[in-house]
Amino acid sequence: MAQQLRTWLIWAVLLVIGVLVGHALPDSSVSPDSEAGTITAVHGQIGSPKASLDFKAKGAKGTASYALVAPTPWQATSGGSWRSGSQPSCLKLTSGKPVKATIGVITVHGVGSAPGGPMVVWVECYG
């Protein structure tokens, strides 16, 4: 009887340890928010430390600024091929003309000297 109780106790302790370790591990999956709207300004080139874009989401009253990192996957037309490793052609705004787009946005936490905040992870341009 004591042997069986000890076996059950060991299994219960191992189960509790497994649950605690599983809960303590960081969750590394990311699901970006998809936002449709207009790109109103682009600052810097993708890959430069201060690269960002200003975006006015549909229905929003103002614009928000998002960081751009290299490589940011982009699509120049709906249903077109995805590209990365270069500045999206649709982000080369000519004469200040806004571009309709949908962007994927995640929020990252800053670590050490790396900044945190909202970041664009993909761009779909439509005009």
Side-chain angles (χ1 to χ4, degrees), residues 34-60:
S34 177
E35 297 185 20
T38 306
I39 298 171
T40 58
V42 178
H43 311 283
Q45 294 284 341
I46 288 182
S48 67
K50 301 286 184 183
S52 66
L53 62 81
D54 295 340
F55 187 79
K56 184 177 188 296
K58 283 185 181 176

Side-chain angles (χ1 to χ4, degrees), residues 2 12 29 66 82 88 90 105 115-116 125:
S29 63
Y66 297 105
W82 285 93
C90 58
V105 178
C125 300

Side-chain angles (χ1 to χ4, degrees), residues 73-87:
W74 59 279
Q75 187 179 44
T77 59
S78 181
S81 62
W82 285 93
R83 301 179 180 119
S84 64
S86 63
Q87 181 85 357

Side-chain angles (χ1 to χ4, degrees):
M1 179 72 172
Q3 179 69 22
Q4 189 177 18
L5 181 61
R6 185 174 25 196
T7 302
W8 280 102
L9 183 61
I10 291 171
W11 279 107
V13 168
L14 289 174
L15 180 66
V16 169
I17 290 171
V19 168
L20 291 174
V21 168
H23 184 69
L25 292 174
D27 185 13
S28 61
S29 63
V30 176
S31 179
D33 292 328
S34 177
E35 297 185 20
T38 306
I39 298 171
T40 58
V42 178
H43 311 283
Q45 294 284 341
I46 288 182
S48 67
K50 301 286 184 183
S52 66
L53 62 81
D54 295 340
F55 187 79
K56 184 177 188 296
K58 283 185 181 176
K61 294 184 186 213
T63 61
S65 184
Y66 297 105
L68 286 168
V69 296
T72 297
W74 59 279
Q75 187 179 44
T77 59
S78 181
S81 62
W82 285 93
R83 301 179 180 119
S84 64
S86 63
Q87 181 85 357
S89 58
C90 58
L91 295 187
K92 297 174 184 169
L93 302 180
T94 56
S95 66
K97 181 181 175 189
V99 174
K100 291 185 181 182
T102 300
I103 59 175
V105 178
I106 61 170
T107 301
V108 295
H109 299 286
V111 176
S113 64
M119 177 182 296
V120 174
V121 292
W122 52 262
V123 179
E124 294 177 326
C125 300
Y126 304 114

